[in-house]
Every structure is written in C-alpha cells, then in structure tokens.
Amino acid sequence: MPELPEVETVRRTLIEGGLVGLSIVSVTVAHPDAVHWPDPARFAREVTGRRFVDVRRRGKFLLFDLDGRTLACHLRMTGRLWLSATTEPELSHTHVVCALSDGRELRFRDVRRFGGFTLLEPDGGMAPSLLARLGPEPDEVSAAAFAAALQRHRRSPVKALLLDQAVVAGLGNIYADEALHRAGVHPARTCGSVSKQEQKVLRSAMRALVRDALRHRGTTFLDFRDGAGEPGAFQAFLRVYGREGLPCRHCGTPIAKRRIAGRGTHFCPRCQPEGE
DNA sequence: CCAGCAGCCTGTGCGC
DNA sequence: TGCGCACAGGCTGCTG
C-alpha cells in the first residue's frame, strides 16, 4: 500500500533513473480504468510529445510536470510505476505504457485497478477536486491546525483523523497505526480525548516515522516496488502493523488487531491504553 | 454538519 | 483437491 514514504521513494528513484529531460514518444492505454481523466484517446494525444520537466509529490499523488501540463498519478493500493527496458517482458495488469525518447518505457501496473492518471488542466481547473482538499504534509502540520482538526472531529476515533487526507496528507493505514503506537495513543480513542501533551507527541511521532521510513526507502508489505523495481526495507522496523499476536517491541505484550474506523488496526494494549 | 459505511477491484488464504 | 467467501484498503459519495 503505497503511502507517503513509498510514493516519495518512487519519485526519487524515477528522478535518479533519469526521467527528467526525456520526452513521451507514444502512449498505450491498455485499460481505460487507469486513466481517470480525460478519456484515454485524448489523454494519449495530450501527453504525447511532451517532455518531463520535473517530478513532484503532494500527499500520495505523484505529479509529473510535462512542459505545459501536469499529470497526476495515484497508486492507491497496488499501483506500480517504474522505468523499464523495452525488452523486459510485460507484467500482467500493466495498464499504461509511455514509450520514452531514450528507448525505455515508463510502465504503470495496477492489479486492483484503483489507481491511475489524471491530467490536470493548465488553469488548475481539474486540480481543486484532487489536490486543493489535501491538508499539510506530516512534517508541516502546525500545532494549531492539528488541535483545530482534533476539535472539529472530536467524536471520531483518532485513527480516522490520521487517515483523513484533508487533515494530514500522505498517511495511510500502516503509518497511522505506527504513528499512534510511537505516540502511545490508542487508535480508538476519540479526538476530543487527546491531551495537548499527546498532540505534541503524536505530531513529532508522525514526523520521525516518515523520516525513518524514507531512510529505508519505504515499506514493502505485499508488493510495493520503487521506480527502479526495487522493494523497500522499512517493513523490518514496523512496530505494530502486520504483527498481530507478536510481542510488542517495547513491552512484550502481544499486539492486538481490531477493526477501527473501518480499517484493520494494530496496537499494543499496554503501551496504548484505551481508557485515558 | 458529520460519522459511518457501501462500492470499486483482484489475489490470497482460510474453512469445509 | 476444489469451492466459496472473507479480507486486504484509499477514496468518493451516499445515508442516517
């Protein structure tokens, strides 16, 4: 599940791989689901011939600046985007292939077909629905904004707040669980019950977590791969996610798993007491 | 206004 | 061995 650290790792590896400066020679859309806007034919027409000027990221969106237009890509659950030699056999579920001016290809593969591309309008017309609703990045959340969000959603479980992209952009299920464990806050506690001190700890836990995950090039839990096709290494450092029944790395208590905010949620019953 | 959930989709892994 | 089903989850849009 690509979240901020994984998407940022894809961004960096695409840049390291030399994508910037290359042009799109041709585009093949094998499955229309992978192009969210506009229709595949117009999509191919609009991006063909353009040159990659920069690759940016906002939350979990990759943003390809293509001299004059910006192409957004969201990997959702199982999306992969990588630079490939033309001679590499095409993996199943490869939905979009961009042939590049140096003879390589930028390939997009997505087994569950949730992810895909959106071509943003030059005047920002398409952007508001996608990007304008995103909150600050985890390392840019101010204490005041965080406190206000907790107050606004005071009856919701704090886990739901961390998953809300309008509050913090980039966290997903894995890193929400990890941040709450680092902060010692139970995921089911209501936002209204989180003390000022806990807010401070939670904010710095988010920052440290994202920094650590980036250093290890993201988490490969099932099948994440970066822009060069390589897996991440942060899964070895996860403290709760995917560790149900295993001892808490801090206190040894078996990690619990429960459905909270509609998501499978992992926590340590001892380090993260529910009644606080 | 806001919390909660169905639906989208396919591969995996379980129970029978 | 094979079948059916629950589950995984980011995000939108609907409902209560």
Side-chain angles (χ1 to χ4, degrees):
Chain A
M1 302 124 244
E3 306 178 24
L4 189 158
E6 290 76 37
V7 177
E8 176 64 16
T9 300
V10 172
R11 187 190 75 81
R12 292 178 183 179
T13 49
L14 289 178
I15 287 181
E16 286 162 14
L19 181 63
V20 172
L22 301 180
S23 307
I24 298 175
V25 174
S26 66
V27 177
T28 308
V29 179
H31 202 301
D33 281 4
V35 177
H36 297 160
W37 197 89
D39 62 273
R42 196 178 139 209
F43 172 83
R45 207 163 55 235
E46 299 263 14
V47 302
T48 298
R50 292 186 191 271
R51 190 171 60 90
F52 288 93
V53 172
D54 199 4
V55 185
R56 295 176 293 134
R57 181 193 56 76
R58 181 73 178 89
K60 299 175 198 169
F61 285 93
L62 273 171
L63 301 173
F64 296 98
D65 289 323
L66 298 170
D67 56 4
R69 299 296 292 269
T70 296
L71 180 58
C73 180
H74 201 303
L75 303 174
R76 297 279 188 116
M77 305 294 306
T78 51
R80 274 199 215 173
L81 199 55
W82 77 105
L83 286 165
S84 171
T86 313
T87 50
E88 288 293 317
E90 191 164 290
L91 294 172
S92 58
H93 307 288
T94 298
H95 304 316
V96 178
V97 176
C98 297
L100 302 169
S101 51
D102 71 345
R104 290 182 296 168
E105 292 174 344
L106 181 65
R107 297 185 181 181
F108 176 74
R109 165 182 207 244
D110 190 357
V111 171
R112 287 184 211 173
R113 282 196 266 130
F114 281 11
F117 294 91
T118 302
L119 188 63
L120 304 184
E121 288 299 309
D123 60 2
M126 198 62 198
S129 57
L130 272 188
L131 305 178
R133 279 184 290 197
L134 293 179
E137 301 281 318
D139 59 349
E140 290 173 348
V141 183
S142 72
F146 198 50
L150 285 156
Q151 171 62 19
R152 201 163 56 245
H153 299 276
R154 70 190 85 88
R155 298 170 62 86
S156 293
V158 62
K159 162 125 186 204
L161 192 87
L162 296 189
L163 292 174
D164 186 342
Q165 301 300 297
V167 174
V168 188
L171 298 188
N173 203 41
I174 296 175
Y175 294 111
D177 284 1
E178 293 296 315
L180 288 165
H181 180 265
R182 287 187 180 215
V185 174
H186 192 289
R189 283 180 48 199
T190 61
C191 293
S193 78
V194 178
S195 72
K196 277 280 180 251
Q197 177 58 26
E198 288 172 325
Q199 294 178 23
K200 189 179 167 189
V201 175
L202 189 50
R203 279 201 312 130
S204 66
M206 288 191 294
R207 267 196 302 276
L209 172 65
V210 168
R211 191 191 58 223
D212 291 350
L214 269 172
R215 199 162 51 229
H216 294 283
R217 307 168 68 84
T219 300
T220 295
F221 196 75
L222 289 175
D223 62 354
F224 164 72
R225 293 293 185 277
D226 68 21
E230 297 297 322
F234 191 63
Q235 60 277 7
F237 303 91
L238 295 177
R239 301 182 189 182
V240 286
Y241 187 87
R243 299 193 68 247
E244 182 185 14
L246 296 174
C248 172
R249 297 192 199 279
H250 183 248
C251 75
T253 304
I255 298 301
K257 183 179 181 186
R258 206 210 293 177
R259 202 161 185 85
I260 296 169
R263 296 282 173 260
T265 301
H266 313 71
F267 58 95
C268 171
R270 180 143 169 221
C271 294
Q272 299 164 269
E274 183 157 16
E276 188 83 3

